[in-house]
């Protein structure tokens, strides 16, 4: 499991909050950058402590039906977390 920070819409005004989640990398079907949340960040609808350069990724998960979560980090950053987790689980030579 990898630990990620999920971005959740909080209210009708379009504000957001963050929470820690754990994802099984084997259930990830697709990852794509989320530019829409970048706009929300620039509009001040995200938590104030987020840097304006923060990137977001939408992850599609297979749980028998489609589930999407939006997390903090670029696609590359999330991918690196997955690869690092695999190295920890399988030793330094894992690919």
């Amino acid at each position: 499991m990898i630990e990620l920070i999920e971005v959740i819409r909080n209210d009708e005004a379009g504000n957001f909050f963050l929470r820690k989640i754990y994802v099984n990398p084997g259930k990830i079907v697709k990852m794509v950058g989320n530019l829409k949340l970048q706009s929300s960040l620039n509009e001040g609808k995200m938590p104030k402590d987020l840097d304006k350069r923060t990137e977001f990724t939408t992850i599609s998960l297979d749980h028998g039906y489609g589930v999407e979560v939006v997390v903090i980090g670029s696609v590359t950053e999330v991918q690196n977390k997955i690869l690092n987790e695999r190295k920890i689980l399988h030793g330094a030579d894992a690919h």
Side-chain angles (χ1 to χ4, degrees):
M1 299 287 251
I2 56 170
E3 180 182 297
L4 300 169
I5 304 297
E6 183 179 17
V7 181
I8 300 171
R9 189 180 192 117
N10 191 24
D11 57 29
E12 295 300 319
N15 295 310
F16 296 84
F17 72 96
L18 308 175
R19 72 176 175 188
K20 205 180 289 188
I21 62 169
Y22 296 88
V23 173
N24 178 347
K27 295 292 186 176
I28 295 175
V29 177
K30 174 178 79 170
M31 296 189 299
V32 63
N34 187 316
L35 298 177
K36 187 174 182 180
L37 284 188
Q38 193 70 41
S39 297
S40 295
L41 177 63
N42 293 331
E43 293 168 5
K45 295 181 178 181
M46 293 285 179
K48 303 295 181 218
D49 56 343
L50 282 182
D51 187 289
K52 296 293 183 197
R53 297 170 292 179
T54 300
E55 294 182 45
F56 305 93
T57 297
T58 300
I59 299 175
S60 298
L61 301 167
D62 178 16
H63 285 286
Y65 56 91
V67 174
E68 286 190 340
V69 294
V70 179
V71 298
I72 290 181
S74 68
V75 171
T76 301
E77 291 167 334
V78 175
Q79 183 178 25
N80 286 339
K81 273 193 146 190
I82 294 167
L83 294 174
N84 287 337
E85 178 69 15
R86 286 186 181 149
K87 285 179 184 177
I88 291 169
L89 291 175
H90 301 291
D93 294 330
H95 296 283

